[in-house]
Structures are given as structure tokens and as C-alpha cells.
Amino acid sequence: MGGSREERINYFSPGRDSNSVHIFETWRVLGTNPVETTAGTFDALRVQRQFEVAGSAYSYLETIWLDRASGAPVKVEVNHLNGFMAPNVMAWEATDLRTGTPRSPGS
């Protein structure tokens, strides 16, 4: 895949103190490459998300690998760009990937 593609979006979201905060996200398509995880090696689309809260130092850079065959995320790396870290924004990798048609309970 040649050159990266970029999309910048902004929106307002409720903050911790119930006031609205202005969020900026920049998404980039970086290309494709194999990525190795505990679940195996996947042919993956690599995208990057930069997240920032306007008027604050809170920001992080997240790299996400999506399995091209299933579309499932298989690995995420997070680089907190300052001293503020959100406990729910963390690096992880797939340990198992199951694909197919989900079954309804009782079927």
C-alpha cells in the first residue's frame, strides 16, 4: 500500500466533571504488514490513532493492527505522550482468534 492516508475528526464528549471536553483524533492508514501475536502471525492493516483533549496535555498515540482476513483487531500498542495515563487505554495482543458465524443462544 503506498503513502499514508489521514483523517482528522473532532467532537465534544462528557468529561469527568460532567463538563463537555473537545476531543481531536487523527487517524492514519500506515500500510500492511505481517504482525506476530500469541494467537499467530496475521497479514494486517496497520492504522494509527492520535488522541488529544483540547486545552490539556492529555494525549496518546495508538497503533492498531487489523487482521485483513477477518477485520478483527489483533494487536494494539499505546504510547502515552505525557504523564497522564488512562487505565483503560493499554497495549494488548490477541491470544486467540475465532472467526465464523456467531451462534444464537440455544442453537
Side-chain angles (χ1 to χ4, degrees):
M1 177 179 258
S4 68
R5 196 174 119 206
E6 180 176 298
E7 187 70 32
R8 186 160 167 91
I9 58 175
N10 69 80
Y11 55 93
F12 289 89
S13 178
R16 289 185 185 157
D17 58 5
S18 298
N19 289 324
S20 183
V21 293
H22 195 177
I23 307 294
F24 294 102
E25 292 189 31
T26 303
W27 287 82
R28 293 178 184 92
V29 176
L30 302 177
T32 59
N33 64 280
V35 63
E36 189 173 325
T37 71
T38 305
T41 301
F42 299 91
D43 177 24
L45 174 67
R46 187 168 47 114
V47 296
Q48 190 175 66
R49 171 189 182 216
Q50 183 162 349
F51 180 93
E52 303 169 66
V53 176
S56 79
Y58 182 76
S59 64
Y60 60 86
L61 190 62
E62 186 175 40
T63 304
I64 306 159
W65 285 264
L66 303 167
D67 174 37
R68 292 179 66 191
S70 67
V74 293
K75 184 174 180 175
V76 174
E77 288 181 355
V78 178
N79 180 14
H80 293 274
L81 301 173
N82 53 47
F84 300 102
M85 294 179 23
N88 60 338
V89 181
M90 65 185 112
W92 61 270
E93 69 176 46
T95 58
D96 188 22
L97 181 62
R98 299 177 191 177
T99 60
T101 305
R103 293 177 17 162
S104 301
S107 62

XYZ file of all heavy atoms in Angstrom:
834
model
N 0.851 -1.160 0.000
C 0.000 0.000 0.000
C 0.899 1.226 0.000
O 1.750 1.379 0.841
C -0.901 -0.056 1.234
C -1.786 1.145 1.383
S -2.837 0.970 2.836
C -4.336 0.494 2.021
N 0.733 2.129 -0.925
C 1.549 3.326 -0.998
C 1.080 4.381 -0.031
O -0.009 4.317 0.474
N 1.862 5.352 0.279
C 1.594 6.506 1.118
C 0.497 6.350 2.156
O -0.388 5.549 2.020
N 0.563 7.138 3.185
C -0.448 7.031 4.228
C -1.630 7.930 3.914
O -1.501 8.937 3.227
C 0.152 7.382 5.595
O 0.470 8.745 5.650
N -2.772 7.549 4.399
C -3.986 8.339 4.284
C -4.323 8.835 5.680
O -4.162 8.109 6.653
C -5.097 7.453 3.732
C -6.266 8.236 3.221
C -7.253 7.309 2.569
N -8.474 7.453 3.329
C -9.400 6.541 3.435
N -9.257 5.393 2.843
N -10.483 6.767 4.132
N -4.835 10.062 5.780
C -5.082 10.649 7.092
C -6.465 11.288 7.145
O -6.913 11.878 6.171
C -4.015 11.705 7.370
C -4.164 12.397 8.697
C -3.022 13.362 8.964
O -1.866 12.918 9.044
O -3.295 14.567 9.073
N -7.115 11.142 8.296
C -8.426 11.759 8.529
C -8.414 12.371 9.924
O -8.055 11.712 10.893
C -9.519 10.701 8.437
C -10.911 11.246 8.500
C -11.318 12.026 7.266
O -10.853 11.689 6.154
O -12.106 12.983 7.416
N -8.788 13.652 10.027
C -8.830 14.328 11.330
C -10.285 14.621 11.670
O -11.010 15.177 10.854
C -8.020 15.615 11.294
C -7.898 16.274 12.653
C -6.726 17.242 12.667
N -6.721 18.110 13.812
C -6.113 17.836 14.957
N -5.443 16.719 15.090
N -6.144 18.693 15.958
N -10.689 14.209 12.865
C -12.053 14.461 13.323
C -12.001 15.137 14.685
O -11.012 15.026 15.410
C -12.892 13.166 13.399
C -12.237 12.141 14.330
C -13.113 12.573 12.026
C -13.067 10.895 14.559
N -13.045 15.891 15.003
C -13.139 16.471 16.342
C -14.584 16.426 16.784
O -15.500 16.442 15.974
C -12.526 17.871 16.384
C -13.319 18.888 15.622
O -14.324 19.396 16.122
N -12.884 19.206 14.409
N -14.750 16.323 18.089
C -16.089 16.193 18.659
C -16.036 16.600 20.125
O -14.967 16.796 20.697
C -16.617 14.760 18.498
C -15.703 13.692 19.073
C -15.864 13.238 20.380
C -14.680 13.135 18.304
C -15.028 12.262 20.907
C -13.849 12.160 18.825
C -14.034 11.725 20.116
O -13.201 10.769 20.632
N -17.201 16.730 20.722
C -17.304 17.040 22.143
C -17.796 15.798 22.877
O -18.627 15.054 22.369
C -18.254 18.219 22.372
C -17.677 19.513 21.895
C -17.865 19.930 20.577
C -16.919 20.308 22.740
C -17.321 21.112 20.127
C -16.369 21.502 22.294
C -16.571 21.905 20.980
N -17.255 15.591 24.075
C -17.581 14.409 24.866
C -17.706 14.816 26.330
O -17.032 15.754 26.768
C -16.448 13.389 24.703
O -16.689 12.247 25.469
N -18.533 14.120 27.107
C -18.613 14.447 28.540
C -17.277 14.171 29.231
O -16.673 13.130 29.002
C -19.690 13.509 29.078
C -20.372 12.937 27.889
C -19.444 13.061 26.729
N -16.829 15.117 30.038
C -15.599 14.944 30.804
C -15.892 14.341 32.164
O -17.038 14.066 32.519
N -14.853 14.144 32.951
C -15.013 13.551 34.286
C -15.874 14.400 35.207
O -16.543 13.894 36.080
C -13.645 13.351 34.933
C -12.858 12.262 34.292
C -11.574 12.025 35.036
N -10.786 11.051 34.307
C -9.493 10.937 34.420
N -8.821 11.716 35.233
N -8.853 10.024 33.730
N -15.832 15.736 35.030
C -16.591 16.638 35.900
C -17.935 17.023 35.285
O -18.522 18.020 35.661
C -15.764 17.875 36.224
C -15.341 18.627 34.968
O -15.764 18.234 33.854
O -14.595 19.605 35.093
N -18.418 16.255 34.322
C -19.694 16.462 33.628
C -19.691 17.655 32.673
O -20.712 17.962 32.085
C -20.859 16.597 34.613
O -20.982 15.410 35.356
N -18.559 18.353 32.554
C -18.447 19.401 31.553
C -18.027 18.775 30.229
O -17.393 17.727 30.199
C -17.407 20.458 31.961
C -17.896 21.307 33.107
O -19.070 21.626 33.190
N -16.985 21.666 33.998
N -18.361 19.422 29.154
C -18.012 18.925 27.833
C -16.539 19.205 27.537
O -16.030 20.286 27.856
C -18.904 19.622 26.802
O -18.659 19.126 25.532
N -15.839 18.228 26.961
C -14.454 18.418 26.549
C -14.366 18.257 25.031
O -15.110 17.485 24.422
C -13.480 17.445 27.249
C -13.402 17.735 28.732
C -13.859 16.011 27.006
N -13.453 19.008 24.434
C -13.256 18.980 22.983
C -12.151 17.971 22.676
O -11.039 18.083 23.170
C -12.871 20.370 22.497
C -12.996 20.548 21.034
N -12.754 21.752 20.425
C -13.345 19.705 20.022
C -12.943 21.635 19.128
N -13.304 20.394 18.860
N -12.477 16.993 21.846
C -11.559 15.904 21.506
C -11.125 16.043 20.053
O -11.944 16.326 19.179
C -12.239 14.527 21.682
C -12.857 14.375 23.071
C -11.281 13.398 21.333
C -11.874 14.350 24.200
N -9.839 15.831 19.800
C -9.300 15.755 18.444
C -8.712 14.361 18.248
O -7.972 13.875 19.097
C -8.178 16.781 18.223
C -8.645 18.200 18.275
C -8.436 18.969 19.408
C -9.285 18.768 17.183
C -8.858 20.282 19.455
C -9.709 20.085 17.229
C -9.506 20.853 18.368
N -9.053 13.732 17.138
C -8.459 12.451 16.774
C -7.933 12.559 15.354
O -8.607 13.092 14.485
C -9.484 11.317 16.823
C -9.960 10.989 18.205
C -10.810 9.731 18.240
O -10.571 8.815 17.413
O -11.701 9.660 19.097
N -6.738 12.057 15.141
C -6.180 11.956 13.801
C -5.927 10.481 13.539
O -5.230 9.820 14.299
C -4.863 12.746 13.672
O -5.119 14.109 14.018
C -4.316 12.674 12.260
N -6.537 9.962 12.474
C -6.396 8.557 12.077
C -5.574 8.500 10.811
O -5.812 9.264 9.871
C -7.764 7.936 11.827
C -8.553 7.686 13.080
C -9.304 8.587 13.766
C -8.652 6.461 13.788
N -9.875 7.987 14.863
C -9.494 6.687 14.894
C -8.113 5.186 13.584
C -9.814 5.683 15.813
C -8.435 4.185 14.491
C -9.272 4.438 15.595
N -4.606 7.592 10.775
C -3.747 7.404 9.599
C -3.713 5.927 9.222
O -3.577 5.074 10.097
C -2.320 7.852 9.900
C -2.171 9.313 10.125
C -0.701 9.672 10.476
N -0.602 11.070 10.784
C -0.718 11.594 11.997
N -0.926 10.816 13.029
N -0.615 12.884 12.187
N -3.819 5.665 7.930
C -3.595 4.311 7.422
C -2.118 4.245 7.077
O -1.634 5.002 6.231
C -4.464 4.016 6.184
C -4.133 2.643 5.618
C -5.946 4.127 6.532
N -1.376 3.367 7.755
C 0.073 3.300 7.586
C 0.517 2.253 6.580
O 1.641 2.303 6.104
C 0.745 3.044 8.935
C 0.461 4.087 10.019
C 1.114 3.680 11.330
C 0.926 5.463 9.594
N -0.328 1.283 6.289
C 0.045 0.257 5.327
C -0.310 -1.128 5.829
O -1.095 -1.286 6.765
N 0.255 -2.127 5.192
C 0.011 -3.510 5.585
C 1.340 -4.180 5.901
O 2.370 -3.830 5.339
C -0.706 -4.293 4.464
O 0.101 -4.255 3.297
C -2.069 -3.711 4.167
N 1.296 -5.107 6.823
C 2.482 -5.889 7.157
C 2.078 -7.078 8.014
O 1.043 -7.042 8.659
C 3.545 -5.043 7.880
C 3.084 -4.528 9.221
O 2.366 -3.539 9.300
N 3.488 -5.193 10.299
N 2.886 -8.125 8.015
C 2.613 -9.233 8.928
C 2.857 -8.767 10.368
O 3.760 -7.977 10.620
C 3.633 -10.301 8.534
C 4.300 -9.824 7.302
C 4.029 -8.364 7.163
N 2.036 -9.238 11.286
C 2.236 -8.939 12.703
C 2.124 -10.246 13.472
O 1.237 -11.053 13.230
C 1.242 -7.874 13.226
C -0.191 -8.340 13.160
C 1.601 -7.446 14.641
N 3.064 -10.456 14.376
C 3.096 -11.679 15.166
C 2.491 -11.422 16.535
O 2.818 -10.433 17.200
C 4.542 -12.156 15.314
C 4.657 -13.520 15.921
C 6.087 -14.034 15.906
O 6.822 -13.741 14.953
O 6.449 -14.721 16.876
N 1.585 -12.311 16.942
C 0.971 -12.246 18.261
C 0.992 -13.651 18.869
O 1.369 -14.611 18.203
C -0.499 -11.774 18.184
O -1.284 -12.808 17.599
C -0.646 -10.490 17.385
N 0.554 -13.764 20.081
C 0.443 -15.070 20.720
C -0.515 -15.974 19.947
O -0.352 -17.186 19.914
C -0.043 -14.903 22.175
O 0.845 -13.996 22.843
C -0.065 -16.209 22.927
N -1.520 -15.367 19.292
C -2.510 -16.134 18.525
C -1.989 -16.573 17.160
O -2.634 -17.345 16.474
C -3.776 -15.305 18.336
N -0.829 -16.066 16.744
C -0.268 -16.417 15.441
C 0.203 -15.189 14.692
O 0.250 -14.091 15.235
N 0.556 -15.385 13.428
C 1.004 -14.288 12.574
C -0.119 -13.943 11.607
O -0.721 -14.836 11.003
C 2.273 -14.681 11.799
O 3.292 -15.010 12.763
C 2.768 -13.545 10.931
N -0.419 -12.661 11.491
C -1.536 -12.199 10.680
C -1.050 -11.208 9.618
O -0.164 -10.394 9.875
C -2.575 -11.495 11.561
C -3.160 -12.373 12.612
C -2.584 -12.444 13.873
C -4.268 -13.152 12.350
C -3.111 -13.261 14.850
C -4.807 -13.978 13.323
C -4.223 -14.036 14.577
N -1.667 -11.271 8.445
C -1.493 -10.251 7.414
C -2.393 -9.104 7.851
O -3.622 -9.244 7.870
C -1.916 -10.812 6.053
C -1.834 -9.779 4.945
O -1.059 -8.804 5.073
O -2.552 -9.947 3.940
N -1.808 -7.980 8.239
C -2.589 -6.956 8.924
C -2.522 -5.595 8.250
O -1.513 -5.219 7.648
C -2.092 -6.821 10.366
N -3.613 -4.862 8.377
C -3.671 -3.450 8.034
C -3.265 -2.703 9.294
O -3.809 -2.961 10.380
C -5.092 -3.057 7.614
C -5.331 -1.572 7.363
C -4.547 -1.102 6.136
C -6.816 -1.298 7.189
N -2.309 -1.791 9.173
C -1.823 -1.040 10.336
C -2.358 0.381 10.268
O -2.161 1.086 9.283
C -0.300 -1.042 10.346
C 0.309 -0.431 11.587
C 1.795 -0.722 11.683
N 2.486 -0.483 10.448
C 3.401 0.467 10.260
N 3.733 1.262 11.249
N 3.988 0.606 9.099
N -3.091 0.782 11.313
C -3.621 2.139 11.398
C -3.124 2.779 12.693
O -2.771 2.091 13.651
C -5.168 2.173 11.338
C -5.677 1.675 10.006
C -5.790 1.400 12.474
N -3.114 4.101 12.690
C -2.625 4.830 13.856
C -3.650 5.884 14.239
O -4.223 6.546 13.373
C -1.300 5.492 13.521
C -0.579 6.084 14.694
C 0.774 6.605 14.252
O 0.844 7.544 13.486
N 1.831 5.969 14.710
N -3.868 6.022 15.529
C -4.818 7.000 16.062
C -4.087 7.890 17.058
O -3.505 7.400 18.023
C -5.952 6.265 16.767
C -6.887 7.139 17.551
C -7.807 6.252 18.356
N -8.773 7.003 19.103
C -9.204 6.662 20.308
N -8.730 5.585 20.895
N -10.087 7.386 20.933
N -4.122 9.205 16.808
C -3.600 10.142 17.802
C -4.803 10.810 18.448
O -5.655 11.373 17.768
C -2.680 11.195 17.189
C -2.113 12.095 18.266
C -0.889 12.860 17.829
O -0.313 12.600 16.783
N -0.495 13.809 18.640
N -4.869 10.726 19.764
C -5.993 11.219 20.554
C -5.512 12.368 21.414
O -4.500 12.248 22.104
C -6.525 10.078 21.433
C -7.697 10.459 22.293
C -8.980 10.247 21.841
C -7.508 10.999 23.555
C -10.062 10.582 22.637
C -8.583 11.336 24.359
C -9.870 11.121 23.893
N -6.241 13.499 21.389
C -5.860 14.672 22.182
C -7.105 15.326 22.760
O -8.128 15.403 22.093
C -5.165 15.706 21.298
C -3.951 15.217 20.556
C -3.497 16.222 19.508
O -3.066 17.319 19.907
O -3.604 15.899 18.318
N -6.998 15.819 23.990
C -8.046 16.622 24.601
C -7.605 18.078 24.489
O -6.541 18.446 24.982
C -8.284 16.237 26.074
C -9.314 17.164 26.710
C -8.722 14.787 26.188
N -8.422 18.892 23.817
C -8.096 20.306 23.607
C -7.916 21.023 24.944
O -8.646 20.761 25.898
C -9.190 20.990 22.790
N -6.922 21.877 25.009
C -6.685 22.667 26.211
C -6.052 21.902 27.350
O -6.021 22.380 28.477
N -5.559 20.694 27.080
C -4.905 19.914 28.129
C -3.672 19.237 27.541
O -3.452 19.253 26.334
C -5.857 18.856 28.706
O -5.926 17.745 27.845
N -2.907 18.614 28.409
C -1.718 17.893 27.959
C -2.030 16.425 27.675
O -1.147 15.673 27.294
C -0.621 17.994 29.020
N -3.298 16.022 27.861
C -3.643 14.608 27.715
C -3.666 14.210 26.242
O -4.463 14.723 25.451
C -5.000 14.322 28.354
C -5.378 12.868 28.258
C -4.770 11.938 29.099
C -6.300 12.421 27.339
C -5.095 10.587 29.012
C -6.634 11.077 27.248
C -6.028 10.172 28.087
O -6.338 8.848 27.990
N -2.796 13.279 25.876
C -2.790 12.751 24.509
C -2.054 11.418 24.479
O -1.215 11.135 25.328
C -2.151 13.736 23.530
O -0.802 13.935 23.827
N -2.404 10.605 23.496
C -1.703 9.344 23.297
C -1.745 8.973 21.822
O -2.565 9.464 21.053
C -2.256 8.214 24.172
C -3.710 7.871 23.960
C -4.102 6.978 22.965
C -4.692 8.419 24.769
C -5.431 6.655 22.783
C -6.017 8.100 24.596
C -6.386 7.224 23.603
O -7.703 6.903 23.419
N -0.815 8.117 21.457
C -0.704 7.602 20.101
C -0.939 6.102 20.182
O -0.288 5.405 20.959
C 0.683 7.906 19.549
C 0.927 7.660 18.088
C 0.032 8.538 17.226
C 2.382 7.955 17.765
N -1.884 5.606 19.395
C -2.272 4.204 19.424
C -2.058 3.612 18.027
O -2.531 4.170 17.045
C -3.745 4.147 19.820
C -4.328 2.817 20.045
C -5.765 2.929 20.559
O -6.523 3.783 20.086
O -6.105 2.134 21.430
N -1.341 2.507 17.942
C -1.162 1.792 16.676
C -1.964 0.503 16.771
O -1.844 -0.245 17.743
C 0.323 1.493 16.412
O 1.049 2.728 16.437
C 0.502 0.845 15.050
N -2.799 0.270 15.757
C -3.729 -0.864 15.766
C -3.478 -1.714 14.525
O -3.391 -1.183 13.416
C -5.186 -0.358 15.760
C -5.407 0.623 16.915
C -6.174 -1.522 15.798
C -6.587 1.534 16.728
N -3.354 -3.015 14.717
C -3.220 -3.949 13.600
C -4.535 -4.699 13.459
O -5.022 -5.310 14.422
C -2.096 -4.942 13.859
C -0.737 -4.369 13.688
C 0.046 -4.437 12.566
C 0.036 -3.648 14.654
N 1.242 -3.800 12.788
C 1.263 -3.308 14.056
C -0.208 -3.250 15.971
C 2.252 -2.597 14.734
C 0.762 -2.540 16.647
C 1.979 -2.223 16.032
N -5.125 -4.659 12.256
C -6.379 -5.341 11.957
C -6.101 -6.498 11.009
O -5.500 -6.305 9.942
C -7.364 -4.370 11.294
C -7.695 -3.108 12.089
C -8.399 -2.092 11.207
C -8.550 -3.461 13.285
N -6.526 -7.695 11.384
C -6.367 -8.861 10.521
C -7.153 -8.613 9.237
O -8.352 -8.344 9.265
C -6.893 -10.106 11.241
C -6.899 -11.337 10.358
O -5.969 -11.508 9.547
O -7.858 -12.133 10.482
N -6.467 -8.680 8.094
C -7.118 -8.381 6.815
C -8.157 -9.435 6.439
O -9.128 -9.130 5.750
C -6.077 -8.231 5.720
C -5.237 -6.963 5.952
C -4.174 -6.771 4.924
N -4.803 -6.524 3.623
C -4.143 -6.528 2.477
N -2.849 -6.774 2.451
N -4.764 -6.295 1.346
N -7.998 -10.660 6.881
C -8.948 -11.722 6.530
C -10.275 -11.580 7.281
O -11.342 -11.769 6.705
C -8.336 -13.090 6.801
N -10.226 -11.225 8.555
C -11.441 -11.173 9.376
C -11.858 -9.752 9.743
O -12.999 -9.537 10.141
C -11.229 -11.962 10.669
O -10.262 -11.310 11.485
N -10.933 -8.792 9.666
C -11.222 -7.426 10.101
C -11.064 -7.232 11.597
O -11.229 -6.131 12.113
N -10.725 -8.284 12.316
C -10.601 -8.212 13.777
C -9.295 -7.535 14.180
O -8.255 -7.781 13.576
C -10.649 -9.615 14.366
N -9.339 -6.708 15.221
C -8.085 -6.170 15.753
C -7.305 -7.301 16.420
O -7.890 -8.114 17.140
C -8.535 -5.125 16.771
C -9.926 -5.511 17.137
C -10.505 -6.245 15.960
N -5.995 -7.369 16.161
C -5.186 -8.449 16.742
C -4.048 -7.925 17.622
O -3.463 -8.691 18.375
C -4.623 -9.393 15.652
C -5.762 -10.173 14.987
C -3.805 -8.652 14.616
N -3.746 -6.634 17.511
C -2.679 -6.075 18.350
C -2.861 -4.567 18.445
O -3.269 -3.914 17.490
C -1.307 -6.391 17.747
C -0.145 -5.920 18.600
C 1.176 -6.388 18.023
C 2.327 -5.919 18.889
N 3.607 -6.446 18.417
N -2.542 -4.026 19.629
C -2.589 -2.588 19.857
C -1.369 -2.192 20.674
O -1.053 -2.848 21.670
C -3.878 -2.161 20.608
C -3.830 -0.683 20.974
C -5.119 -2.462 19.791
N -0.685 -1.143 20.238
C 0.392 -0.538 21.024
C -0.017 0.884 21.360
O -0.582 1.583 20.519
C 1.704 -0.515 20.232
C 2.329 -1.875 20.065
C 3.643 -1.838 19.295
O 4.044 -0.757 18.801
O 4.253 -2.901 19.174
N 0.251 1.319 22.588
C -0.125 2.651 23.047
C 1.110 3.373 23.558
O 1.883 2.814 24.333
C -1.185 2.587 24.170
C -1.531 3.985 24.672
C -2.434 1.867 23.682
N 1.275 4.610 23.109
C 2.349 5.465 23.594
C 1.703 6.704 24.200
O 1.203 7.567 23.478
C 3.285 5.843 22.438
C 4.417 6.729 22.876
O 4.690 6.879 24.062
N 5.076 7.345 21.913
N 1.663 6.774 25.541
C 1.133 7.956 26.215
C 2.139 9.080 26.011
O 3.319 8.926 26.304
C 0.885 7.672 27.695
C -0.219 6.690 27.911
N -1.540 7.070 27.969
C -0.213 5.347 28.045
C -2.294 6.001 28.143
N -1.508 4.940 28.193
N 1.667 10.211 25.482
C 2.567 11.289 25.096
C 2.814 12.290 26.217
O 3.407 13.338 25.987
C 2.012 11.994 23.849
C 1.825 11.059 22.642
C 1.127 11.789 21.511
C 3.158 10.492 22.184
N 2.367 11.986 27.423
C 2.581 12.857 28.579
C 2.443 12.025 29.844
O 2.333 10.811 29.770
C 1.562 14.008 28.563
C 0.146 13.473 28.449
O -0.223 12.546 29.157
N -0.632 14.025 27.561
N 2.392 12.667 30.968
C 2.316 11.953 32.242
C 0.932 11.448 32.608
O 0.779 10.713 33.556
N -0.096 11.859 31.862
C -1.463 11.428 32.162
C -1.739 10.123 31.440
O -1.610 10.044 30.231
C -2.487 12.477 31.695
C -2.296 13.806 32.343
C -1.682 14.829 31.650
C -2.720 14.030 33.639
C -1.507 16.067 32.243
C -2.547 15.265 34.238
C -1.937 16.292 33.535
N -2.118 9.106 32.181
C -2.390 7.817 31.556
C -3.778 7.347 31.951
O -4.154 7.421 33.115
C -1.339 6.795 31.970
C 0.008 7.174 31.428
S 1.434 6.142 31.792
C 0.874 4.572 32.172
N -4.522 6.896 30.968
C -5.850 6.343 31.232
C -5.703 4.840 31.452
O -5.128 4.156 30.610
C -6.775 6.625 30.063
N -6.207 4.320 32.552
C -6.034 2.888 32.827
C -6.721 1.984 31.806
O -6.339 0.838 31.648
C -6.649 2.715 34.217
C -7.505 3.907 34.430
C -6.941 5.007 33.587
N -7.716 2.496 31.069
C -8.399 1.661 30.090
C -7.798 1.786 28.687
O -8.308 1.193 27.749
C -9.898 1.984 30.060
C -10.163 3.422 29.685
O -9.303 4.272 29.825
N -11.360 3.695 29.220
N -6.724 2.549 28.532
C -6.031 2.676 27.242
C -4.681 1.984 27.401
O -3.752 2.541 27.971
C -5.853 4.153 26.825
C -5.160 4.244 25.487
C -7.190 4.864 26.790
N -4.603 0.742 26.923
C -3.394 -0.030 27.153
C -3.054 -0.885 25.940
O -3.896 -1.133 25.082
C -3.566 -0.915 28.376
C -4.632 -1.972 28.211
S -4.887 -2.890 29.719
C -6.524 -2.338 30.126
N -1.827 -1.320 25.886
C -1.370 -2.213 24.820
C -1.890 -3.620 25.088
O -2.056 -4.027 26.238
C 0.153 -2.210 24.758
N -2.168 -4.358 24.012
C -2.596 -5.741 24.138
C -2.379 -6.449 22.813
O -2.133 -5.819 21.796
C -4.059 -5.853 24.573
C -5.034 -5.227 23.618
C -5.474 -3.943 23.623
C -5.647 -5.863 22.493
N -6.336 -3.743 22.580
C -6.463 -4.903 21.858
C -5.600 -7.141 21.951
C -7.214 -5.186 20.723
C -6.348 -7.423 20.817
C -7.144 -6.451 20.224
N -2.445 -7.771 22.847
C -2.386 -8.558 21.617
C -3.301 -9.769 21.761
O -3.581 -10.223 22.870
C -0.973 -8.999 21.274
C -0.384 -10.026 22.193
C 0.993 -10.481 21.736
O 1.818 -9.633 21.388
O 1.227 -11.709 21.759
N -3.771 -10.268 20.621
C -4.674 -11.411 20.617
C -3.946 -12.656 21.096
O -2.788 -12.885 20.759
C -5.219 -11.634 19.210
N -4.637 -13.441 21.877
C -4.117 -14.751 22.292
C -4.853 -15.866 21.563
O -4.424 -17.014 21.587
C -4.257 -14.956 23.812
O -5.637 -14.840 24.163
C -3.432 -13.928 24.574
N -5.974 -15.505 20.924
C -6.772 -16.463 20.170
C -7.658 -15.660 19.228
O -8.076 -14.550 19.568
C -7.639 -17.285 21.126
C -8.363 -18.438 20.444
O -7.914 -18.877 19.370
O -9.378 -18.895 20.996
N -7.923 -16.184 18.050
C -8.833 -15.523 17.115
C -9.758 -16.576 16.542
O -9.305 -17.532 15.915
C -8.066 -14.818 15.996
C -8.940 -14.087 14.981
C -9.732 -12.964 15.651
C -8.089 -13.519 13.856
N -11.028 -16.392 16.813
C -12.039 -17.319 16.308
C -12.924 -16.545 15.340
O -13.441 -15.492 15.685
C -12.884 -17.872 17.435
C -12.053 -18.646 18.425
C -12.877 -19.115 19.567
N -11.983 -19.631 20.603
C -12.397 -20.064 21.752
N -13.679 -20.058 22.048
N -11.541 -20.511 22.639
N -13.097 -17.071 14.166
C -13.942 -16.430 13.180
C -15.062 -17.367 12.787
O -15.043 -18.550 13.089
C -13.137 -16.032 11.929
O -12.560 -17.204 11.361
C -12.039 -15.046 12.271
N -16.025 -16.837 12.134
C -17.171 -17.630 11.713
C -18.444 -16.933 12.086
O -18.443 -15.809 12.585
N -19.552 -17.583 11.877
C -20.844 -17.012 12.160
C -21.184 -17.220 13.627
O -21.185 -18.350 14.111
C -21.927 -17.676 11.289
O -21.525 -17.566 9.925
C -23.273 -17.027 11.489
N -21.471 -16.107 14.348
C -21.856 -16.274 15.764
C -23.148 -17.080 15.850
O -24.020 -16.964 15.001
C -22.079 -14.857 16.254
C -21.533 -13.959 15.211
C -21.455 -14.732 13.942
N -23.242 -17.879 16.870
C -24.446 -18.681 17.069
C -25.324 -18.027 18.123
O -24.824 -17.466 19.083
C -24.073 -20.098 17.501
C -23.367 -20.842 16.404
C -22.902 -22.204 16.781
N -23.524 -22.735 17.978
C -23.523 -24.014 18.297
N -22.943 -24.871 17.506
N -24.076 -24.438 19.406
N -26.618 -18.118 17.918
C -27.574 -17.604 18.894
C -27.641 -18.559 20.069
O -27.471 -19.763 19.909
C -28.961 -17.469 18.276
O -28.925 -16.619 17.175
N -27.930 -18.042 21.276
C -28.102 -18.931 22.431
C -29.192 -19.970 22.138
O -30.225 -19.653 21.553
C -28.533 -17.999 23.559
C -28.056 -16.647 23.135
C -28.096 -16.652 21.625
N -28.935 -21.207 22.461
C -29.915 -22.264 22.281
C -29.892 -22.890 20.893
O -30.697 -23.769 20.605
N -28.989 -22.429 20.011
C -28.963 -23.049 18.666
C -27.834 -24.025 18.537
O -26.961 -24.117 19.322
C -28.853 -21.984 17.590
O -27.664 -21.247 17.711
